[in-house]
Amino acid sequence: MGAPASYFIEVWTEYGIGMCIFFLRFFARATVVGIRNFQYDDYFALLGMVLWTIDNSLIDVMGKHGSFVGLNEQTAAALDEKTVKSYTIGSKALFVAWITYVSMIWCMKAVLLGLYNRITLGLWQHRLIKIMAVSCGITYIAFLLTHFLHCLPIQKNWQVKPYAGDACTLTTPNYLVVVTTNVLTDLGILSIPLPLLWAVKIPIHRKLIIAMLLCSGIFVICAAILRAVFSVGNIGDLSNAALWVSRETFTSSIATSIPAIKPLFSKHSWINSSRGKSSSNKNSRGLTFPWSKSGGNTTATLTSRMGNGYELSNVGKGKTTLGMKPLSDQGSEEYIMGRVRDEVDRGEAINKKIEVQVTHEYPGEGKQDSAITSAESISSIGEEAKSNETGSRWR
């Protein structure tokens, strides 16, 4: 009646390794940006950990008690009451496990969307984030409707005796809906960072590394397809399907955590994170760009290949500013191609005069100094970006 020992060993081994990856992810994020600076993707990752724990516990219950999957009218009628009660428990666990499994996978999609939301802020690709977020929400609801409505009344989803029928025990509609919506949404999410990688001018080996970090969803797609193929191909074997669910969630946990873990192994991440925390209360300065969208919140990175890159951020409504905050305290591989008026070939130095307007902000006092204007020349952008207590505006 119960699953073999190898079933439980694989399920809990993958869970244990996956949890270690998650904890390493949170340690990396806490080290690099600080717990107070956690973003939506971090909280979705935490929710994913909880859902995976529940799902694995339910898979364990199914393995120990069995379920009505694989029965027919004759075999169900021949079961004794003790076996019926055990199968009922396992079948109820199976019904809930479908929900926790899909919820966990969709949380991992939200983790990737949260990452892409940060690196596309101010770019046209940022609209795709909203589109894909809505798409993920709709497809999740579509699964729930399929899960709850494919077999009615609802108690037939764990009815062992008399036999509830193949439509209720095999849950074929669930497999088809999940694999279709899962793959389509993953492909949509993957389409977000690819245009950025195509446009950015960096060495090909760095482009490949970033592609592996940002396009980790490819591995999740492969795992989802394999799970559907092997589960539907042997749909009467619940142990086989449960093992493939464990493998897919394991793959998802690793693929979505790697981008957050990567900065932990950057040679400057430890020093920069400490420096970022100690300098978080310094005065801020801003540069106004005339081509920024009115009311938009634009954040971009000039380059993270510089020792001290700078981040484009929004101050106030209706103008985009260049907050002179060193990116090194983020220690991240999040590249953002902002809107640049003139395209500059790699290695070419440019010199421009800028009109400087300074606004000092003093934390805790809410006071601002009056604006001061001057002129300055910037040379060799891409080598260094200097901050002289000023913000600037391109002519």
Side-chain angles (χ1 to χ4, degrees), residues 61-62 65-66 84-94:
V61 170
M62 289 187 296
H65 290 273
V84 169
K85 288 181 180 179
S86 180
Y87 279 9
T88 301
I89 294 173
S91 299
K92 288 180 178 179
L94 172 62

Side-chain angles (χ1 to χ4, degrees), residues 151-223:
C151 176
L152 295 173
I154 195 71
Q155 60 268 23
K156 292 185 70 175
N157 287 279
W158 51 83
Q159 177 180 302
V160 177
K161 190 176 180 180
Y163 184 61
D166 290 347
C168 295
T169 61
L170 300 181
T171 60
T172 303
N174 281 12
Y175 286 106
L176 298 178
V177 170
V178 169
V179 70
T180 303
T181 56
N182 195 6
V183 171
L184 289 178
T185 50
D186 279 345
L187 288 174
I189 293 172
L190 281 176
S191 68
I192 297 172
L194 291 179
L196 300 177
L197 290 173
W198 183 264
V200 68
K201 294 181 178 181
I202 57 176
I204 187 64
H205 70 279
R206 288 184 61 83
K207 188 174 291 191
L208 290 175
I209 292 174
I210 299 171
M212 291 180 64
L213 292 174
L214 298 183
C215 301
S216 55
I218 293 175
F219 302 103
V220 181
I221 293 175
C222 294

